[in-house]
Amino acid sequence: MQISLPSISSQKFRVPPPAVLAATYAILIILGTCLLKIPGVSQPLAWSDALFTATSAVTVTGLSVVDVGSHFSLFGQIVVLVLIQLGGLGLMTFAALVLSVLGLPIDIPHRTYLREDLNQTSVGDLLRLVKVILRVVLLCELIGAILLGFVFIPDAGWAEGIWLSLFHAVSAFNNAGFSLFPDSLTRYATNPLVNFTIPGLLLIGGLGFSVLSDIYYVRRWQKFSLHSKLMLSGSAALILWSVASFAILEWNNPATLGAVPDILDKLQISWFQGTTTRTAGFNTTDIAGMHDSTTLTFILLMLIGGGSTSTAGGIKVTTFIVLLLATVAFFKRRQQLHAFGRSIGLEEVLKVLALTMISMLIVAAALFLMTIAHDGDFLDLLFEVASAFGTVGLSRGITTELDTIGRTVIIFTMFIGRVGPLTLGFFLATRMPPRIRYPSSQIYLG
């Protein structure tokens, strides 16, 4: 007899899978908010602060209106960590992992929800992908915690050091950016082990589990899927761009790299900040002290984000690459998009255009509402909105200054950034077959 989790028939009640996923994330946020309000879990905490923290944890963003390390008790920090893990992996993915460990089969409705949670187009390879996720998550977070333990245990002792190592390893792999230190990881800006471990976890978690599945099973570049090739090459190019641009633009800035005398230390900070910008909110330098040019570069990187089926946010690297390929194809008068000996269909291009347009509208609407509530530095507000939408968590110091309207806008932006603009587009779309076909005509553009 097949055993499965209780479910609602999407056909009977006409509930689309994206709606179920959005509802489960919302329920998890509400549950996390209530847990953070339990007496003794934290210092006096307003409901709005608890909701903001829970939303930021579930959406693996990292923006915070309170200092997690000092404001919450150990139980409160555990609640935040569990919310990060559940939100990073995806609730349906976590449920599939539990069923897989227990040896129970996964029924068709849950495979459909799992497909939406992992942003897959078919259910064929879902179970293999789930097994890869289980191995990768446990292995990476365990290795990351062990490596960080060599840094944190000597500084904080065994008990606290182990907890700090575990918390930051899980937070890094899930691209959350939450830290138990009030200055994030600035105190370890020149520590080689921290500069290797944290970015390593971020990059692995931000590549996407489908790419990791190719690396684990296929292991040959020639046989990788087109998605994996685009993701790996695109990520390498974006890392090179972000690290080099930060180093060049901030080299003599006294508020950031200019105050660091050693060249090797400057390169370490540039590497760390360049690799974390697209996905997680860890920082080892003063983000508010960056030049406007660097800030604008970071905004663009945060909006691009990481990979599909990953713990990162943004419009995704492959979306950005397809946009570039479509632009090149237009100027070269090509009818099809080509990459690595493969063509990209029209449906994928339309999906990319829809995703980008919806993302632009969301960011523009959130920024407009923020400017109404806060008549402050426009670049700081744009940075905050981009960080929330990309579920990054970097801030130029205005998060704690937000009023009720500003916090509400950021909460909704983080939620939409995690659930996905395509889910919002799914709600707005109406699937009605056309009854009449109209003749095509020409319009003038540009």
Side-chain angles (χ1 to χ4, degrees):
M1 181 177 66
Q2 187 175 12
I3 303 175
S4 64
L5 291 175
S7 63
I8 299 176
S9 173
S10 60
Q11 293 181 351
K12 182 178 179 180
F13 294 97
R14 299 185 183 277
V15 180
V20 176
L21 290 179
T24 52
Y25 276 103
I27 292 173
L28 181 59
I29 290 173
I30 295 173
L31 178 61
T33 302
C34 295
L35 289 175
L36 293 177
K37 282 292 294 179
I38 295 177
V41 169
S42 69
Q43 298 178 20
L45 187 70
W47 278 102
S48 61
D49 293 342
L51 177 61
F52 192 100
T53 304
T55 304
S56 184
V58 171
T59 60
V60 290
T61 302
L63 292 173
S64 182
V65 291
V66 296
D67 177 27
V68 176
S70 61
H71 203 87
F72 293 102
S73 65
L74 177 61
F75 178 76
Q77 295 172 13
I78 293 175
V79 170
V80 172
L81 189 65
V82 171
L83 293 177
I84 290 172
Q85 188 74 84
L86 292 177
L89 287 181
L91 297 178
M92 296 304 166
T93 309
F94 183 78
L97 289 175
V98 173
L99 292 177
S100 178
V101 170
L102 295 177
L104 302 177
I106 303 174
D107 57 13
I108 297 302
H110 282 95
R111 293 194 186 196
T112 304
Y113 299 147
L114 184 61
R115 182 192 66 185
E116 295 293 333
D117 204 15
L118 291 174
N119 195 21
Q120 295 289 286
T121 56
S122 69
V123 297
D125 296 327
L126 280 179
L127 297 184
R128 188 177 76 166
L129 183 58
V130 166
K131 293 178 182 179
V132 171
I133 292 174
L134 178 61
R135 294 190 183 102
V136 170
V137 170
L138 293 179
L139 183 63
C140 290
E141 291 181 353
L142 178 61
I143 293 176
I146 292 174
L147 292 177
L148 292 176
F150 288 103
V151 178
F152 295 147
I153 291 177
D155 290 348
W158 279 99
E160 186 178 357
I162 292 175
W163 172 240
L164 288 172
S165 303
L166 178 63
F167 186 96
H168 286 86
V170 174
S171 180
F173 180 80
N174 288 281
N175 285 251
F178 274 98
S179 176
L180 297 180
F181 302 111
D183 59 351
S184 189
L185 295 174
T186 304
R187 65 187 66 187
Y188 298 105
T190 58
N191 187 292
L193 195 54
V194 172
N195 280 291
F196 166 78
T197 305
I198 297 295
L201 292 171
L202 294 174
L203 293 176
I204 295 174
L207 280 176
F209 295 115
S210 59
V211 178
L212 297 177
S213 179
D214 262 2
I215 295 175
Y216 184 85
Y217 286 107
V218 180
R219 302 181 183 180
R220 292 183 61 185
W221 173 264
Q222 292 80 2
K223 294 185 178 181
F224 280 177
S225 65
L226 177 60
H227 171 79
S228 296
K229 291 180 179 180
L230 290 176
M231 188 62 213
L232 290 170
S233 57
S235 297
L238 288 173
I239 290 172
L240 181 62
W241 171 34
S242 58
V243 173
S245 61
F246 180 83
I248 294 172
L249 296 174
E250 296 295 320
W251 195 264
N252 295 316
N253 184 358
T256 54
L257 294 182
V260 181
D262 187 72
I263 294 179
L264 181 60
D265 290 341
K266 286 186 176 183
L267 294 176
Q268 284 192 82
I269 297 174
S270 299
W271 158 255
F272 186 96
Q273 210 58 67
T275 54
T276 61
T277 301
R278 286 186 297 116
T279 56
F282 292 111
N283 63 281
T284 55
T285 190
D286 183 14
I287 301 298
M290 296 188 308
H291 290 310
D292 289 351
S293 56
T294 312
T295 303
L296 181 59
T297 303
F298 275 27
I299 290 173
L300 296 175
L301 290 168
M302 290 190 294
L303 292 177
I304 293 173
S308 298
T309 74
S310 76
T311 56
I315 65 171
K316 303 299 185 293
V317 173
T318 47
T319 300
F320 179 69
I321 294 176
V322 172
L323 282 175
L324 294 180
L325 292 176
T327 304
V328 172
F330 171 77
F331 283 110
K332 290 188 175 183
R333 295 295 187 262
R334 292 177 178 173
Q335 298 298 321
Q336 279 190 328
L337 276 62
H338 301 281
F340 296 106
R342 295 289 186 272
S343 62
I344 301 174
L346 177 62
E347 184 178 353
E348 281 73 20
V349 177
L350 292 177
K351 181 180 178 180
V352 162
L353 293 176
L355 173 61
T356 305
M357 178 55 67
I358 292 176
S359 301
M360 290 174 59
L361 292 176
I362 292 172
V363 172
L367 180 60
F368 176 75
L369 294 175
M370 289 287 287
T371 55
I372 293 177
H374 298 271
D375 194 14
D377 192 317
F378 181 82
L379 194 61
D380 289 349
L381 295 177
L382 177 58
F383 192 92
E384 196 81 5
V385 170
S387 179
F389 177 78
T391 66
V392 176
L394 289 176
S395 176
R396 288 173 62 85
I398 69 169
T399 307
T400 55
E401 301 175 3
L402 298 176
D403 60 10
T404 303
I405 297 178
R407 294 187 182 190
T408 303
V409 171
I410 295 299
I411 286 174
F412 276 101
T413 306
M414 290 189 295
F415 183 79
I416 294 174
R418 182 66 182 106
V419 173
L422 279 180
T423 301
L424 182 60
F426 189 98
F427 294 151
L428 300 177
T430 55
R431 295 185 176 182
M432 295 181 62
R435 297 180 179 180
I436 304 175
R437 291 185 179 274
Y438 297 96
S440 60
S441 185
Q442 183 180 10
I443 60 174
Y444 298 99
L445 303 173

